[in-house]
Amino acid sequence: MHESGGDSSAAATSKNHFKDGIIDLLAGTAGGVANVYAGQPLDTVKVKVQTFPNLYSNWVVCLKDTYKLDGIRGLYAGTLPALAANVAENAVLFTAYGYCQKTIATLNGLEDVKHMTPLENAFSGSLAAVFAATVLCPTELVKCKLQAAREMKQKCTPFSVCRDIAKTTGFRGFFVGMTPTLAREVPGYFFFFGAYETCRYLLTEEGQRKEEIGLAKTAIAGSAGGMALWTSIYPADVVKSRMQYMFSSCWIKAIRHISVSPRILRFYSLDSPFFKVEVVSSERKVQAKKSVAPRFEKKHRQKISDYLKQMATPEIEAQLAPLRAAVKEYGDLIRDLKAKGAPKIDIDKAVVELKARKRRLEETEIALAPKEASFDRLKLEDLLKRRFFYDQSFAIYGGVTGLYDFGPMGCSLKANMLQEWRKHFILEEGMLEVDCTSLTPEPVLKASGHVDRFADWMVKDVKNGECFRADHLIKNSIEKLMNDKKVSAEMKKDGEDVLARLEGFDDKDMHEVITRFKFKSPITGNDLTEPIAFNLMFPTQIGPTGDFKAFLRPETAQGIFVNFKRLLEFNQGKLPFAAAQIGLGFRNEISPRQGLIRVREFTMCEIEHFVDPEDKSFPKFAKIADQKLVLFSACNQLDGAPAREVAIGEAVANKTVANETLGYYMARCHQFLMKVGIDGRRLRFRQHLSNEMAHYAQDCWDAEILTSYGWIECVGNADRACYDLQQHFKATNVKLVAEKKLPQPIDVNVVEAQANMALLGKSFKKDSKKIQTALQQLTSEQVTALEEELLSKQIYNLDINGENYPLTPDLLNIKKYSKKLHVQEITPSVIEPSYGIGRIMYALLEHSFRQREGDEQRTFLAFKPLVAPIKCSILPISANETLVPVMEAVKEELARYELSYKVDDSSGTIGRRYARTDEIGIPFGITVDFDSDKTTPHTVTIRHAETMSQIRLPISELGRLISDLVAGRQQWSDAQAKYPRFEANAE
């Protein structure tokens, strides 16, 4: 009987335990759901502040910005995985907590969990947290990624996040952040349940049980437990969020990233106040609004302007001096090695070290830059996207990287820049303009070298197919090894040798390096394929058969070169002359990035100036000789010295710039960039180092503009010598030469190899024409050598592109004669300025970005009127019909001067409408008010967007004034001096 009663009691206890577990499960589930819907907005804010500390200054700013940008939906981002996370966590946690209480009570000999101390309850909670962490980690990973999606510029759903994690890292990827999750949950719930049970104990009155204290006191106890939990776990929670956002499996790396963040933020600052969004104060007294925290505060890494290097304080210069000396040391070493004719491998090794020292100098300059100087690129990108200046092509289908569509404002801005380029160069310099096809047959690009050399080696991730440029991957991976203290000195030396020889590597060499060093995908850590050649041109076919291979042109220059003969005839056979072309170029970039900076389809403006190789003077050079440019010469780069401002005449005289023609186009380039609105303080001309220039180039200077992406090459000014015309002559046997009249006739001896076509055709069939062309292209010295070999060996092996053709004496005749020459045939040299309009346009957008003084949220674009997409806005003060005739008169006057305008007759206040038109860069606003129709003749006011000042004038004088302001014939100050000021109410 006793034994039977014991079994019955045990069964009842087990049944009660199961029942308690079900109750705990349901209660935890309900609590989890309530927790999500009550606390999800603040949880979203918490994750964003943890993940992007440099983007949000505090949680209030984050809350406001998230609501402004994405509304309630943004605050509840990740609600679905949050529900899963909280329901799973609370259900498992409270179920496990009940069982853990019973286990610890049993171990301590207690009959009822109600008799447990707060410390025993705390241990039960920490043990239960181990089980809860296993279901919490995957769901929180998905939630964290969804909450950070906007700042990471991603569009994703819970399903897409899960799919991507599974695809890239498999099942283990869902447990990224498990270590800090355990480090958070276990001690966190020790403190939570400890504080919760302690408060319940303290709030229980004498003669009362803890379960009877009531809902309010229980809630107070829970609040105390929550505060104890988050106070103890917050550091581990930050580490978890960083790991899950960065998708890093190393919690030590995440801690290191957090611990050095102040120094990183300093790195992200710029080098001078003029890199800050320019704050514009108006000439009118406007009541300053309460300072509003900017919507975005993320700073982007910048390179330092050499203009500012000259302005550095003595303290900063003292820290930079040893680094400059280190750069100069290796610059001198490289010069010495070249002078002594050292092996190329030794020079290449020295160049690698020189670049490393230049990088250390640049990073130190960045670190020492003032923190307050910053450019907020995200604000600009937000404006450009909202007002549709441009956007990614096919965006509704997910977009295509490297392709962009220009909206109304971007299209007009680009058209105005091209129109001004055409006036500045083609019309003012009397150039010959051509418009050639974008489809280019393969033989043309084979001759120019693009088919063979315009390619990169590429490797792929074996699992997800992601592509990487092989040389970039090797370079970045080896540089990472060099900075790793655990790597042996022998391996580092091996890495240095690889970097020195990397430029000459083929696919086999690269594969050997990747295999030897065991390099993996930098994104996923997966294995990589063998390198494959990836030509950067877009291939296509002409005609239905597919036999006629062609490419979309990678540059517009080749169309000018192949038409050189026709252009020379049009110019009456005279040198020098210049031909220009505006058109599209196409390059199938492996990894396009940085917006308009690196794209797959782009607009180019190229000039080919053909000149006598022995006389590269320029007739109009004296007009610009005194113009000063900021030049960053090769010598300055090797010495670690900053760029310096030099008159272009002086630079040509001391041979820093190779010749007058190149110098003239550099000065004209500077004038054009300044005219369209580029900030002169952020513009320099950098000379190519010898190892950067093409083998045929004699000198090359890039016009570089400083943007938030660093110094960006926007214009290339190169002396290409005679290379292109000679290559096309070799491929076609069509002479692309000019005739130069000699001062006195001269007698020359001519030696030619003439093919016997009858016998040559029988022997070599279809190749006979190719052999005849090759013989005609031989120089006199080569023909003489051919004759000597035929006499001695009775055979001559003619090599044509690697193919050997044995020629016997009967197949050709050597003809010798003399003739009198009155003209000399010369292959012209080419000076080529090449403009990337998309890059210049992006730099212009950055340099034109402004914000109002006292109102950081009110940003706008201050374009030069010359290139502004819309020249003026028409703003009626009211919808009153009496103003309609005045508006029609204004429109007619503007149309007479071909001035673009935008009418904003919406119902908003005049101040809001001014702000809207300012934002898109309209420089002048014409306001039609109630005084306009009361005067005869009718008058209107003109508002200058940048200064916000206004004048009143008759409509009959409106068109001429704005036309003069746009063309630069008058300045706004001139208009203010001529017409009466108009004082309006504060905007």
Side-chain angles (χ1 to χ4, degrees), residues 277-294:
V277 176
E278 190 169 330
V279 177
V280 178
S281 60
S282 77
E283 296 178 1
R284 297 173 40 227
K285 292 182 180 179
V286 180
Q287 184 179 359
K289 295 185 179 180
K290 185 179 179 181
S291 179
V292 180

Side-chain angles (χ1 to χ4, degrees), residues 165-384:
I165 294 171
K167 186 177 180 180
T168 54
T169 56
F171 181 73
R172 66 182 178 87
F174 286 97
F175 290 91
V176 168
M178 187 64 180
T179 301
T181 300
L182 285 169
R184 181 188 77 167
E185 297 294 297
V186 173
Y189 282 107
F190 175 88
F191 287 107
F192 172 79
F193 284 107
Y196 173 67
E197 296 292 348
T198 299
C199 284
R200 288 178 71 196
Y201 175 78
L202 294 174
L203 292 172
T204 302
E205 297 177 2
E206 190 174 349
Q208 191 181 36
R209 293 187 302 166
K210 288 188 292 184
E211 290 77 11
E212 297 173 350
I213 64 175
L215 186 60
K217 290 182 178 181
T218 302
I220 292 172
S223 300
M227 286 189 286
L229 177 133
W230 283 105
T231 301
S232 63
I233 73 169
Y234 199 78
D237 191 60
V238 173
V239 173
K240 178 194 71 70
S241 295
R242 290 288 180 95
M243 287 180 65
Q244 293 179 330
Y245 136 73
M246 295 187 301
F247 209 65
S248 168
S249 59
C250 181
W251 58 271
I252 297 175
K253 186 185 294 183
I255 292 174
R256 189 184 302 126
H257 182 270
I258 295 166
S259 66
V260 300
S261 60
R263 180 156 55 88
I264 291 171
L265 291 179
R266 192 175 72 212
F267 280 173
Y268 279 27
S269 63
L270 299 186
D271 48 295
S272 166
F274 67 70
F275 289 99
K276 203 172 180 180
V277 176
E278 190 169 330
V279 177
V280 178
S281 60
S282 77
E283 296 178 1
R284 297 173 40 227
K285 292 182 180 179
V286 180
Q287 184 179 359
K289 295 185 179 180
K290 185 179 179 181
S291 179
V292 180
R295 188 185 307 177
F296 301 105
E297 293 179 355
K298 184 175 181 181
K299 298 175 179 65
H300 296 263
R301 183 182 177 120
Q302 303 267 337
K303 295 186 179 180
I304 301 302
S305 163
D306 292 289
Y307 172 84
L308 288 167
K309 289 179 186 176
Q310 301 173 46
M311 309 300 290
T313 63
E315 294 78 10
I316 291 177
E317 194 56 43
Q319 296 181 59
L320 296 178
L323 295 172
R324 295 196 196 282
V327 172
K328 186 178 185 304
E329 177 190 353
Y330 260 73
D332 293 339
L333 175 62
I334 291 169
R335 290 191 187 96
D336 187 52
L337 290 172
K338 288 181 177 179
K340 293 179 179 177
K344 187 176 184 297
I345 182 65
D346 294 342
I347 296 174
D348 288 343
K349 284 182 180 179
V351 169
V352 170
E353 178 61 24
L354 172 68
K355 289 180 178 179
R357 294 186 177 201
K358 283 174 66 179
R359 186 168 60 251
R360 284 195 290 272
L361 170 61
E362 186 176 85
E363 288 175 351
T364 305
E365 290 168 342
I366 293 170
L368 296 174
K371 293 182 181 180
E372 67 275 7
S374 64
F375 177 80
D376 198 338
R377 190 195 303 154
L378 291 182
K379 271 189 179 179
L380 173 62
E381 290 178 348
D382 180 53
L383 186 159
L384 297 177

Side-chain angles (χ1 to χ4, degrees), residues 373-494:
S374 64
F375 177 80
D376 198 338
R377 190 195 303 154
L378 291 182
K379 271 189 179 179
L380 173 62
E381 290 178 348
D382 180 53
L383 186 159
L384 297 177
K385 191 167 185 178
R386 278 190 296 104
R387 304 311 295 266
F388 193 21
F389 274 78
Y390 62 87
D391 197 10
Q392 199 170 45
S393 299
F394 315 109
I396 63 173
Y397 285 90
V400 179
T401 308
L403 299 178
Y404 290 89
D405 294 333
F406 291 92
M409 299 303 293
C411 188
S412 183
L413 176 62
K414 181 180 174 184
N416 290 345
M417 291 174 64
L418 292 175
Q419 181 181 4
E420 186 52 38
W421 191 90
R422 183 176 271 111
K423 287 179 183 177
H424 188 80
F425 288 106
I426 297 176
L427 297 182
E428 292 182 19
E429 302 296 341
M431 296 179 179
L432 310 180
E433 185 175 9
V434 297
D435 186 4
C436 304
T437 176
S438 295
L439 285 172
T440 308
E442 184 182 42
V444 176
L445 295 169
K446 181 77 173 175
S448 68
H450 285 86
V451 171
D452 297 326
R453 292 194 296 271
F454 203 65
D456 291 326
W457 294 106
M458 178 180 70
V459 291
K460 291 184 179 181
D461 186 313
V462 294
K463 291 188 177 179
N464 64 17
E466 189 166 3
C467 300
F468 306 93
R469 252 183 75 167
D471 57 339
H472 287 182
L473 183 139
I474 291 172
K475 180 176 180 290
N476 295 337
S477 300
I478 288 180
E479 287 178 347
K480 186 177 178 181
L481 283 179
M482 306 285 276
N483 294 325
D484 191 341
K485 295 180 181 178
K486 297 179 182 178
V487 175
S488 66
E490 184 180 351
M491 182 172 284
K492 287 184 178 181
K493 187 177 183 303
D494 193 11

Side-chain angles (χ1 to χ4, degrees), residues 876-885 887 930 933:
I877 200 76
S878 166
N880 195 308
E881 291 185 1
T882 60
L883 301 181
V884 173
M887 287 184 59
F930 291 115
D933 68 336

